[in-house]
């Protein structure tokens, strides 16, 4: 993918830039650049080699994404980690990787549901419901809990309205909870 002009001080092609990304293990960027190379130079002599690099990138990208997700996980940036895990899950065909990603995604969902339960106990029903709804995007178990959390949120709001003397509003909220 390197052209002779590079060795003589010329400008590198997008293919040589893609190859550099590949050797630096940034397979996402490498694939983008190499695919652009194929489009820009459809008759280039290194087109076959670029195709091989693109296929290797496709195979290695999920693993790169998992590593990035783990890095986010270590820094307690769970939402960013989850995005990387889900992206890797959608791109891989490796059964072992799929299973480990499913397990990690399930662990994160369980933690989020426990956090939502704690929020609900503290009377933070809106925040708890928000966490459950976000978690339900990738967890079927969390989807089942949405009605329960909505009901509890209405009960909490009904209690607040009752304590403030708004009995009619409290009854309306209690009815919604049912």
């Amino acid at each position: 993918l390197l052209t002779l002009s590079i060795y003589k001080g010329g400008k590198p092609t997008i293919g040589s830039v893609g190859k550099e990304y590949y050797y630096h293990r940034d397979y996402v960027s490498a694939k983008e650049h190499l695919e652009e190379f194929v489009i820009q130079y459809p008759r280039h002599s290194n087109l076959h080699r670029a195709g091989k690099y693109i296929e290797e990138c496709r195979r290695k990208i999920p693993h790169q994404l998992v590593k990035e997700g783990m890095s986010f996980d270590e820094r307690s940036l769970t939402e960013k980690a989850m995005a990387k895990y889900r992206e890797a899950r959608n791109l891989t065909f490796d059964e072992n990787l799929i299973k480990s990603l499913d397990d990690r995604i399930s662990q994160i969902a369980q933690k989020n549901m426990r956090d939502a339960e704690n929020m609900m106990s503290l009377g933070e029903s809106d925040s708890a419901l928000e966490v459950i709804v976000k978690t339900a995007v990738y967890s079927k178990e969390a989807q089942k809990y949405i009605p329960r959390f909505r009901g509890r949120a209405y009960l909490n709001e009904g209690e607040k309205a009752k304590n403030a003397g708004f009995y009619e509003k409290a009854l309306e909220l209690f009815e919604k909870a049912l």
Side-chain angles (χ1 to χ4, degrees):
L1 296 177
L2 294 174
T3 59
L4 288 177
S5 64
I6 293 173
Y7 293 114
K8 297 183 179 191
K11 186 178 177 186
T13 66
I14 194 161
S16 56
V17 173
K19 193 172 175 183
E20 281 296 312
Y21 278 117
Y22 179 87
Y23 286 122
H24 286 98
R25 293 187 172 113
D26 182 354
Y27 305 112
V28 174
S29 298
K31 181 178 159 283
E32 290 172 6
H33 283 80
L34 291 167
E35 286 175 339
E36 186 62 33
F37 171 80
V38 169
I39 292 168
Q40 285 183 11
Y41 302 97
R43 297 177 194 260
H44 198 280
S45 61
N46 287 326
L47 200 60
H48 179 69
R49 193 176 320 161
K52 286 184 177 184
Y53 277 111
I54 290 169
E55 286 306 311
E56 275 296 302
C57 288
R58 285 188 179 129
R59 192 177 60 74
K60 292 179 178 183
I61 284 173
H63 297 282
Q64 176 185 342
L65 294 171
V66 169
K67 285 179 184 175
E68 291 171 7
M70 290 168 66
S71 173
F72 286 129
D73 240 349
E74 289 170 359
R75 293 179 281 155
S76 298
L77 299 169
T78 310
E79 285 188 39
K80 288 184 177 186
M82 178 59 74
K84 293 293 181 179
Y85 294 148
R86 290 178 66 207
E87 187 178 355
R89 172 72 172 79
N90 290 335
L91 294 175
T92 191
F93 296 105
D94 180 346
E95 290 298 321
N96 292 326
L97 186 58
I98 289 171
K99 185 180 177 337
S100 65
L101 285 168
D102 286 346
D103 289 345
R104 182 62 189 135
I105 290 169
S106 179
Q107 289 171 354
I108 291 171
Q110 292 293 325
K111 181 198 173 295
N112 287 347
M113 290 191 306
R114 283 191 307 272
D115 290 347
E117 283 286 342
N118 291 337
M119 288 177 200
M120 194 61 80
S121 300
L122 297 172
E124 300 171 4
S125 49
D126 291 339
S127 299
L129 188 56
E130 187 178 319
V131 168
I132 286 295
V133 169
K134 281 183 182 178
T135 305
V137 169
Y138 56 86
S139 169
K140 290 183 186 202
E141 191 174 344
Q143 289 172 2
K144 296 175 193 173
Y145 281 93
I146 289 176
R148 183 173 143 223
F149 273 83
R150 276 207 175 104
R152 287 179 63 190
Y154 285 131
L155 283 174
N156 286 348
E157 294 303 312
E159 277 297 318
K160 288 178 186 175
K162 182 184 86 174
N163 293 338
F166 298 107
Y167 300 112
E168 205 169 306
K169 182 68 175 173
L171 286 173
E172 190 178 302
L173 290 166
F174 290 144
E175 190 175 321
K176 280 185 179 180
L178 294 174

